[in-house]
């Protein structure tokens, strides 16, 4: 095993069955990812629909119609229009901080419910929009909904799931994101055929369906035992723990007592945002920032946004959008399934490292394949069928490697490493960093492509090499470690141990911030 990769030998092993209750809770909870995925998948298609542009962005519509360039790298680009798409991520970023307070004081379940409601209203406003201000108001509400759900869902699932299967359950969140993207792409493909000029209303309004689903699920769900303790409801917490683990009072006692201890320590922390900056949380804080940052710097979203243009220009004119739906959609979903299986068996590190290696190889391959045909001019030339097939295969392999590694683990690992007293704050940082860099990539990628040309793939390949090295040296294995025992993995890590207080009691003594 590598430099960062030990599995702590003396951690506890709480008993617990995979009960119907825990499966329901985790699967329904994780469906919160649908709304994020639906939005990621829907906006690109909608902003390229002519009736939508004509109604809300008439200047852009006219300029696009006049754009006759054949350069596949420097496509016509309007900052205002991309800002409209990416503004959602800024709203989500800001909302995630508010959500941190609500998840802590009112619980994970209520935050999910609130997220669903706000998202529903945003989607309805968008579908019925009569002018730009209504569209933008809707966009902001959608962003708030996404911020709330990405803040609360990963926490919810990590706290509900039995330790042995925490990875698998948590990855259902990313699976829901990929399903959301897939459905959105299909909806965008179908609505113009069915609804003509009004297609955009149906595409945007479709988001009300996952939103309603999330609201209904959240109403049915129990809150997590950790969150109930945080709210002072000890008896209810014990009852839910019994129910989700399928065990009696005696059998859950050890896990329950550890939750109580963690919650008591957490209650003494009045200012989690100051607390999180303390030296002893440096490893967790580093991961909460680095992991979502690196996830976006894999270039996955660039491949997702660029695939339709690329496929069109290499000879798949008529069915490019459907084909890219299959590539960025189906492959993404299937490979996310691999990590559901692998994360609790082979561990987080091996998925991160294998995914990184495969992404690196196929990014370099794409740079070579695209560079040698389009050169730096980017002019379209007819490609032989077999050549186009190889490009498609490389995209598929890149997408699948992301989907078994950085996609799901980008949410799983940050959600399981923080102690309770700063867990909500830590998760907000993860969401905020993720949204910030999703925003940057969405906003800047066309300009980057125009500037770097095929070298853009090399740019991201270099980042993939850096992030894999980071994981190899700095991320300890977190598989199979109970969430409230996680501090042990840092204590035994070759680098992070220097930041750890001498023994566990320090935490209890040192919590008054
Ligand atoms: O599945 C791909 C999608 O997954 C995310 O990384 C979120 O985890 C998105 O930014 C991306 O569009």
């Amino acid at each position: 095993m590598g430099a960062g990769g030990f599995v702590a030998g003396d951690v506890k092993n709480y008993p617990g069955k995979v009960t119907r209750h825990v499966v329901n809770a985790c699967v329904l909870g994780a469906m919160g990812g649908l709304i994020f995925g639906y939005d990621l998948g829907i906006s690109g298609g909608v902003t390229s629909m002519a009736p939508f542009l004509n109604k809300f962005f008439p200047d852009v519509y006219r300029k696009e119609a006049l754009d006759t360039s054949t350069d596949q790298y420097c496509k016509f680009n309007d900052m205002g229009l991309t800002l409209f798409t990416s503004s959602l991520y800024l709203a989500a970023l800001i909302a995630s901080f508010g959500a941190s307070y609500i998840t802590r004081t009112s619980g994970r379940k209520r935050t999910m419910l609130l997220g669903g409601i706000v998202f529903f209203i945003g989607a309805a406003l968008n579908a019925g929009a009569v002018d730009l201000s209504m569209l933008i108001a809707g966009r902001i509400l959608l962003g708030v909904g996404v911020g709330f759900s990405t803040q609360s869902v990963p926490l919810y699932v990590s706290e509900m799931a039995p330790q042995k299967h925490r990875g698998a359950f948590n990855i259902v969140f990313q699976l829901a994101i990929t399903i959301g993207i897939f459905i959105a792409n299909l909806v965008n493909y179908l609505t113009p055929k069915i609804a003509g000029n009004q297609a955009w209303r149906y595409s945007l309004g479709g988001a009300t369906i996952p939103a309603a689903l999330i609201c209904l699920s959240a109403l049915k769900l129990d809150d997590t035992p950790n969150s109930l303790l945080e709210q002072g409801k000890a008896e209810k917490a014990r009852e839910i723990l019994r129910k989700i683990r399928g065990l009696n009072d005696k059998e859950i006692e050890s896990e329950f007592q550890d939750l109580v201890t963690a919650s008591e320590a957490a209650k003494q922390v009045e200012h989690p945002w100051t607390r999180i900056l303390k030296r002893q949380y440096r490893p967790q804080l580093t991961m909460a920032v680095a992991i979502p940052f690196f996830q976006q710097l894999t270039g996955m979203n660039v491949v997702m946004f660029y695939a339709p243009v690329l496929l069109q220009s290499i000879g798949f004119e008529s069915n490019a959008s459907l084909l890219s739906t299959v590539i960025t959609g189906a492959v993404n979903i299937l490979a996310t399934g691999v990590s559901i299986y692998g994360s609790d068996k082979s561990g987080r590190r091996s998925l991160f490292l294998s995914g990184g290696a495969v992404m690196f190889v196929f990014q370099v391959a794409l740079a070579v394949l695209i560079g040698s045909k389009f050169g730096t001019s980017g002019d379209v030339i007819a490609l032989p069928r077999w050549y186009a097939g190889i490009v498609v295969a490389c995209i598929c392999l890149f997408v699948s490697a992301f989907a078994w590694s950085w996609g799901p683990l980008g949410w799983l690992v940050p959600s399981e490493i923080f102690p309770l007293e700063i867990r909500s704050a830590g998760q907000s940082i993860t969401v905020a960093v993720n949204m910030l860099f999703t925003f940057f990539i969405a906003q800047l990628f066309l300009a980057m492509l125009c500037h770097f040309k095929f070298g853009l793939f090399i740019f991201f390949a270099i980042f993939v090499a850096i992030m894999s090295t980071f994981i190899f040296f700095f991320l300890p294995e977190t598989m199979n470690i109970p969430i409230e025992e996680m501090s042990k993995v840092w204590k035994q890590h070759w680098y992070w141990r220097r930041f750890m207080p001498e023994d566990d009691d320090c935490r209890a003594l040192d919590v008054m911030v």
Side-chain angles (χ1 to χ4, degrees):
M1 193 162 290
F6 82 96
V7 177
D10 58 343
V11 291
K12 291 187 186 163
N13 221 333
Y14 301 127
K17 303 173 190 154
V18 179
T19 59
R20 185 170 50 83
H21 295 295
V22 82
V23 173
N24 276 347
C26 292
V27 171
L28 289 179
M31 285 301 129
L34 274 181
I35 58 178
F36 183 27
Y38 190 87
D39 201 87
L40 279 163
I42 211 79
S43 25
V46 167
T47 50
S48 58
M49 290 178 185
F52 174 85
L53 285 180
N54 197 13
K55 185 168 175 64
F56 296 107
F57 298 91
D59 287 351
V60 178
Y61 178 68
R62 273 193 297 277
K63 277 192 218 147
E64 267 199 13
L66 295 175
D67 182 39
T68 52
S69 152
T70 55
D71 181 350
Q72 295 306 306
Y73 297 128
C74 299
K75 284 270 154 199
F76 174 78
N77 172 25
D78 180 88
M79 275 289 176
L81 185 63
T82 38
L83 193 60
F84 159 76
T85 301
S86 46
S87 61
L88 181 146
Y89 306 111
L90 283 187
L93 185 167
I94 295 164
S96 71
F97 291 105
S100 152
Y101 179 75
I102 305 177
T103 42
R104 205 159 90 95
T105 51
S106 311
R108 288 42 168 153
K109 169 191 157 108
R110 286 213 190 111
T111 318
M112 290 195 269
L113 181 60
L114 206 63
I117 295 173
V118 177
F119 193 88
F120 186 92
I121 301 171
L125 274 181
N126 267 352
V130 290
D131 56 20
L132 194 58
S133 58
M134 220 169 140
L135 204 61
I136 288 174
R139 236 21 234 163
I140 292 172
L141 292 182
L142 292 178
V144 173
V146 167
F148 275 38
S149 62
T150 43
Q151 210 278 342
S152 50
V153 171
L155 288 189
Y156 180 83
V157 179
S158 282
E159 291 178 348
M160 280 299 211
Q163 111 201 23
K164 270 206 200 114
H165 305 285
R166 191 174 59 234
F169 280 119
N170 193 291
I171 290 172
V172 180
F173 175 64
Q174 176 72 9
L175 188 69
I177 295 180
T178 60
I179 294 173
I181 297 175
F182 183 66
I183 295 175
N185 285 339
L186 280 182
V187 168
N188 271 343
Y189 180 73
L190 294 174
T191 50
K193 298 192 190 324
I194 299 165
N197 280 352
Q198 299 299 311
W200 62 271
R201 289 198 191 275
Y202 289 89
S203 287
L204 294 177
T208 51
I209 299 172
L213 265 174
I214 278 110
C215 293
L216 292 178
S217 319
L219 279 174
K220 265 190 67 159
L221 295 175
D222 295 310
D223 215 335
T224 69
N226 321 50
S227 177
L228 289 164
L229 281 169
E230 213 169 24
Q231 297 163 60
K233 301 175 185 165
E235 265 327 292
K236 182 82 185 158
R238 188 190 281 275
E239 180 200 320
I240 301 296
L241 190 62
R242 247 189 346 244
K243 186 165 126 187
I244 56 175
R245 298 281 178 263
L247 301 171
N248 63 31
D249 251 345
K250 212 166 140 242
E251 290 162 323
I252 58 153
E253 196 50 32
S254 153
E255 182 173 5
F256 186 70
Q257 280 318 321
D258 284 349
L259 294 183
V260 171
T261 311
S263 133
E264 263 149 26
K267 276 201 191 113
Q268 295 177 57
V269 176
E270 280 172 34
H271 306 292
W273 289 103
T274 328
R275 176 89 188 152
I276 207 168
L277 298 175
K278 289 207 135 209
R279 186 178 157 82
Q280 73 198 77
Y281 300 121
R282 209 49 51 80
Q284 292 97 325
L285 186 59
T286 307
M287 297 301 158
V289 174
I291 290 180
F293 165 75
F294 283 142
Q295 190 208 53
Q296 290 305 312
L297 267 289
T298 55
M300 171 62 168
N301 277 328
V302 166
V303 170
M304 296 203 20
F305 301 146
Y306 184 46
V309 179
L310 181 64
L311 293 173
Q312 217 157 23
S313 55
I314 61 174
F316 293 94
E317 284 92 6
S318 54
N319 50 9
S321 59
L322 190 60
L323 191 67
S324 58
T325 298
V326 174
I327 290 165
T328 58
V331 173
N332 202 2
I333 295 176
L334 290 176
T336 305
V338 172
S339 65
I340 291 195
Y341 179 79
S343 70
D344 293 321
K345 297 229 161 34
S346 54
R348 287 45 161 160
R349 283 171 51 84
S350 65
L351 291 182
F352 265 128
L353 295 172
S354 58
V358 175
M359 280 194 287
F360 180 84
V361 168
F362 290 99
Q363 265 161 333
V364 174
L366 279 169
V368 172
L369 287 167
I370 295 169
S372 58
K373 288 296 174 190
F374 291 168
T376 48
S377 70
D379 284 338
V380 191
I381 46 161
L383 291 186
R385 207 82 186 133
W386 64 268
Y387 198 94
I390 296 180
V391 173
V392 172
C394 288
I395 297 181
C396 283
L397 287 161
F398 169 81
V399 168
S400 61
F402 172 89
W404 84 61
S405 60
W406 282 88
L409 301 180
W411 297 110
L412 167 62
V413 173
S415 76
E416 63 184 7
I417 55 176
F418 279 98
L420 185 63
E421 63 268 23
I422 48 165
R423 195 168 297 152
S424 293
Q427 181 66 11
S428 293
I429 294 176
T430 299
V431 174
V433 174
N434 193 300
M435 297 300 159
L436 183 67
F437 286 93
T438 305
F439 167 81
F440 277 137
I441 299 277
Q443 193 64 24
L444 296 181
F445 114 87
L446 280 176
M448 287 168 83
L449 183 64
C450 186
H451 195 73
F452 290 146
K453 308 188 188 299
F454 59 87
L456 188 58
F457 289 103
I458 299 289
F459 171 83
F460 286 115
I462 292 171
F463 266 103
V464 169
I466 296 173
M467 64 189 80
S468 302
T469 311
F470 172 83
I471 294 292
F472 183 80
F473 286 108
F474 295 106
L475 184 76
E477 183 55 67
T478 52
M479 172 178 72
N480 254 327
I481 315 283
I483 247 185
E484 308 303 349
E485 296 253 299
M486 202 58 83
S487 65
K488 289 186 179 155
V489 303
W490 311 110
K491 281 194 182 135
Q492 294 171 41
H493 186 272
W494 70 274
Y495 179 74
W496 296 119
R497 67 167 163 240
R498 72 197 66 186
F499 292 89
M500 295 295 119
E502 278 306 295
D503 61 57
D504 255 348
D505 296 339
C506 298
R507 200 173 79 171
L509 294 174
D510 182 34
V511 286
M512 303 300 291
V513 176

